[in-house]
Amino acid sequence: MSAPDAQPGTAGTPDWAARADHAARSVTRHFGRRLLFLPGTHLAASVRPSNHSPFQPWNYWWQAHYVDCLVDAGLRELGSGSRFDGGDRPSAGELASRVVASIRLRNLLRYVNSYYDDMAWLALAVLRLDSLAGRAQKPGRRRNARLQKRLSPQFESASTDDMGGGTFWSTKRDFKNAPATAPVALYFARTGKRERAQGLLDWLDATLFESTRGLYLDGAWIKEGKLVLAEQVYTYNQGPVLGALLELGGEANLAPAAALVGSVAEHLTVREPDTQGRLVLGGEGAGDGGLFAGILVRYLALAAGDVRLPAATRATARQMVLDTAEALWAGRMVRTHAAKGTSGKYDDDGWLVFSTEPQRPAAETYPVGTAVELSTQLQAWMVLEAAARIQ
């Protein structure tokens, strides 16, 4: 199957939905597999090629973003009436539901773990999955409700007055950070706990907002009774803050949201001579960092379509989404690698490999013969879905 480049009947306009489908097939066929060979289960391997040992690292929060990507594909399936991977294979929504159930199995029959940010990402993804299931009139919503019932108290207990507010990162309770506080704030906003959400945003502004660049720092430690800042700035921390600001709305939140989009464009895009005015987000390597830019793009896509924001802000957000997507697509490479797909048969649709960093080609970041990490491929898929959503 050849890679899609333009929509039928248009001159040079990329068909982002077809590109997103191609990325979805690549990830689900080449990373997706059953858990312990159990029927009806589905998880993504953390690295390919890999063995099928159940004891290798599996990255709870990467699976949460796998669910989110599948929900994106599922929403497009509802719109188009066709499945991303053909009519004889599971729909994206069915695969997402299997992943959610399999996370519980792999996590020793629990959804709770030691990291509140992990749980928040899963809770957010399952909120979206529940909405998809409702629109498609599919089963699984009772399980989704049980998951929310298990995880919601975790977020309440982690969001304390210690250090003036915020959400703890882990059960060690010695570090509060944006990676936990921002997605928990977004979760509260989407589940009707608006005051709780606003309080967390207020803490982020008071404690982690760095006014010089207009961006949010990573977190704050409690050391010897004093607050010590972790001053790193990561792309993904800006994303859920933006999402929560938009979800809550009102001038008090929309003005900072617009400013945040501008700060991201100014400070977190690649500034190199060959970018020719494009606004391509910088990547943050492999491992967990392989997801960071993709998460930010997910929420920039929301800003791009939010008519409450100034037109210039929406245009900037849109450009960052599309320019980053185009860079990732242009830098892709295809590996010939027949692998068992979700149907149990061997497929050879061409294994698309995307770069760890949008501004660099995949041939540089993943030379032939090297293993490819799931996080980086989910990031590219996520970005392509965002481009398809705003096209």
Side-chain angles (χ1 to χ4, degrees):
M1 182 180 296
S2 60
D5 286 312
Q7 293 178 341
T10 62
T13 303
D15 187 345
W16 289 112
R19 291 179 175 186
D21 276 345
H22 209 56
R25 287 192 297 271
S26 183
V27 171
T28 55
R29 292 183 184 185
H30 296 280
F31 288 85
R33 63 188 188 181
R34 290 176 175 177
L35 172 64
L36 297 174
F37 304 99
L38 294 172
T41 61
H42 186 83
L43 283 177
S46 295
V47 64
R48 292 287 289 144
S50 67
N51 59 42
H52 286 265
S53 169
F55 304 108
Q56 62 180 318
W58 69 287
N59 303 96
Y60 179 116
W61 83 287
W62 294 9
Q63 305 296 328
H65 287 287
Y66 186 28
V67 173
D68 241 340
C69 287
L70 286 165
V71 172
D72 289 336
L75 290 170
R76 287 190 299 99
E77 286 181 337
L78 283 182
S80 67
S82 60
R83 295 185 177 182
F84 78 93
D85 203 12
D88 61 338
R89 294 185 173 89
S91 69
E94 288 172 314
L95 283 180
S97 185
R98 292 180 189 182
V99 174
V100 172
S102 300
I103 288 173
R104 178 177 176 272
L105 292 176
R106 180 63 179 80
N107 200 48
L108 304 178
L109 302 181
R110 290 161 28 108
Y111 284 115
V112 174
N113 80 353
S114 298
Y115 294 91
Y116 296 106
D117 58 336
D118 287 12
M119 291 184 280
W121 292 122
L122 181 60
L124 286 169
V126 171
L127 277 180
R128 297 182 68 233
L129 176 60
D130 193 56
S131 177
L132 173 65
R135 290 173 59 180
Q137 298 182 334
K138 296 290 185 180
R141 303 189 69 185
R142 288 185 179 179
R143 186 224 36 235
N144 296 342
R146 288 195 298 270
L147 180 145
Q148 306 297 343
K149 186 176 181 180
R150 298 287 188 277
L151 295 187
S152 289
Q154 298 294 319
F155 307 140
E156 293 284 355
S157 70
S159 301
T160 69
D161 292 333
D162 301 280
M163 303 168 62
T167 304
F168 283 113
W169 177 50
S170 75
T171 53
K172 289 184 178 180
R173 294 179 173 252
D174 59 353
F175 184 50
K176 287 187 171 181
N177 64 359
T181 304
V184 167
L186 180 56
Y187 177 79
F188 282 156
R190 288 181 174 174
T191 53
K193 300 176 181 178
R194 296 176 63 85
E195 289 187 9
R196 293 285 276 157
Q198 190 65 62
L200 293 179
L201 285 180
D202 291 344
W203 180 83
L204 286 166
D205 284 337
T207 309
L208 299 183
F209 185 70
E210 198 246 50
S211 59
T212 303
R213 288 174 288 181
L215 298 170
Y216 291 86
L217 305 179
D218 190 52
W221 299 91
I222 302 174
K223 293 185 178 180
E224 298 179 357
K226 296 180 180 180
L227 185 147
V228 179
L229 292 178
E231 298 187 0
Q232 299 90 337
V233 171
Y234 297 116
T235 49
Y236 84 134
N237 288 343
Q238 321 310 315
V241 174
L242 178 60
L245 290 168
L246 295 175
E247 190 73 30
L248 289 174
E251 183 59 27
N253 290 310
L254 294 176
L260 183 56
V261 171
S263 295
V264 166
E266 182 178 358
H267 298 290
L268 298 181
T269 55
V270 178
R271 302 288 177 172
E272 295 179 357
D274 61 353
T275 58
Q276 300 176 342
R278 292 179 298 159
L279 295 178
V280 178
L281 289 170
E284 299 190 53
D288 285 344
L291 272 166
F292 287 5
I295 291 170
L296 173 54
V297 166
R298 173 179 296 284
Y299 297 101
L300 286 173
L302 293 180
D306 196 321
V307 297
R308 299 171 300 172
L309 296 176
T313 297
R314 300 199 306 271
T316 298
R318 178 184 178 87
Q319 184 181 352
M320 282 190 280
V321 172
L322 295 178
D323 285 355
T324 303
E326 186 58 53
L328 280 165
W329 185 260
R332 75 195 186 283
M333 64 180 177
V334 180
R335 291 188 181 180
T336 302
H337 183 82
K340 268 191 177 180
T342 54
S343 65
K345 300 177 181 179
Y346 279 92
D347 304 305
D348 192 6
D349 190 23
W351 178 18
L352 283 192
V353 176
F354 295 94
S355 179
T356 62
E357 301 175 30
Q359 71 274 21
R360 297 175 60 196
E364 288 184 8
T365 62
Y366 280 128
V368 174
T370 59
V372 178
E373 288 193 283
L374 171 67
S375 58
T376 61
Q377 306 310 290
L378 288 177
Q379 171 172 266
W381 179 8
M382 201 180 305
V383 171
L384 295 172
E385 291 285 358
R389 193 155 56 251
I390 67 172
Q391 186 167 51

